[in-house]
């Protein structure tokens, strides 16, 4: 027997008993819980498919809505342009009336257009103090 120098008792290896230990059941017999991996995979694919379908449907609806908005703007454009032209003519007439009032005070002054092209072009906006 081997005797360790610092130990009073001889060293002895701990071994299993002769014939081995008694057998016992160690397998887990838990009930199966939840869906299998295949079912989860198919469920994920189905969810993504429905999501992509709804996304495409929403994109189509958004495209139709934008098209309707564009058509509405194009329909209103002549009306808005006519309103702008009327406002511009009102401002131009007011400017000419103001210029005529000033022209009365200056001898020999006649109001006339600076550019004699014969082609109509909108003038710069005139601010009216009224």
């Amino acid at each position: 027997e081997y005797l360790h120098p610092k130990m009073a008792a001889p060293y002895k290896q701990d071994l299993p008993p002769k014939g081995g230990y008694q057998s016992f059941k160690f397998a887990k017999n838990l009930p199966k819980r939840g869906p299998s991996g295949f079912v989860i995979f198919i469920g994920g694919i189905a969810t993504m498919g429905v999501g992509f379908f709804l996304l495409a449907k929403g994109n189509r609806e958004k495209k139709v809505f934008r098209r309707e908005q564009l058509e509405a703007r194009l329909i209103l454009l002549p009306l808005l342009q006519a309103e702008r032209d009327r406002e511009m003519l009102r401002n131009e007439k007011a400017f000419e009336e103001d210029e005529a009032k000033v022209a009365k005070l200056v001898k020999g002054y006649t109001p006339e257009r600076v550019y004699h092209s014969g082609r109509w072009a909108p003038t710069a906006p005139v601010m009216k103090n009224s």
Side-chain angles (χ1 to χ4, degrees):
E1 286 184 14
Y2 173 74
L3 187 65
H4 194 274
K6 291 185 179 180
M7 298 174 81
Y11 175 77
K12 185 176 180 185
Q13 176 73 38
D14 189 19
L15 296 172
K18 293 195 188 270
Y21 290 108
Q22 183 180 359
S23 65
F24 62 95
K25 288 186 175 183
F26 61 90
K28 293 182 180 179
N29 290 326
L30 298 174
K32 185 177 175 186
R33 298 181 63 183
S36 67
F38 179 74
V39 171
I40 292 174
F41 182 72
I42 295 298
I45 288 182
T47 301
M48 286 192 302
V50 169
F52 281 125
F53 171 76
L54 293 176
L55 178 70
K57 182 180 174 189
N59 285 343
R60 282 192 300 268
E61 289 174 359
K62 191 186 299 183
K63 184 178 178 182
V64 168
F65 177 73
R66 286 184 179 166
R67 178 74 181 197
E68 287 175 358
Q69 289 291 317
L70 179 64
E71 288 175 359
R73 287 181 184 147
L74 290 175
I75 288 170
L76 288 176
L77 191 62
L79 175 70
L80 296 174
Q81 183 66 43
E83 191 174 316
R84 182 172 172 260
D85 291 346
R86 281 194 298 270
E87 180 67 25
M88 190 185 69
L89 287 174
R90 260 187 250 118
N91 288 341
E92 193 171 320
K93 185 178 178 185
F95 177 74
E96 288 174 359
E97 288 173 357
D98 290 344
E99 191 177 21
K101 287 179 189 175
V102 172
K104 287 180 188 176
L105 303 174
V106 179
K107 285 186 176 181
Y109 177 78
T110 57
E112 61 182 43
R113 299 217 179 254
V114 178
Y115 302 106
H116 303 286
S117 66
R119 193 176 104 192
W120 183 86
T123 57
V126 177
M127 295 301 205
K128 192 167 79 159
N129 295 335
S130 58

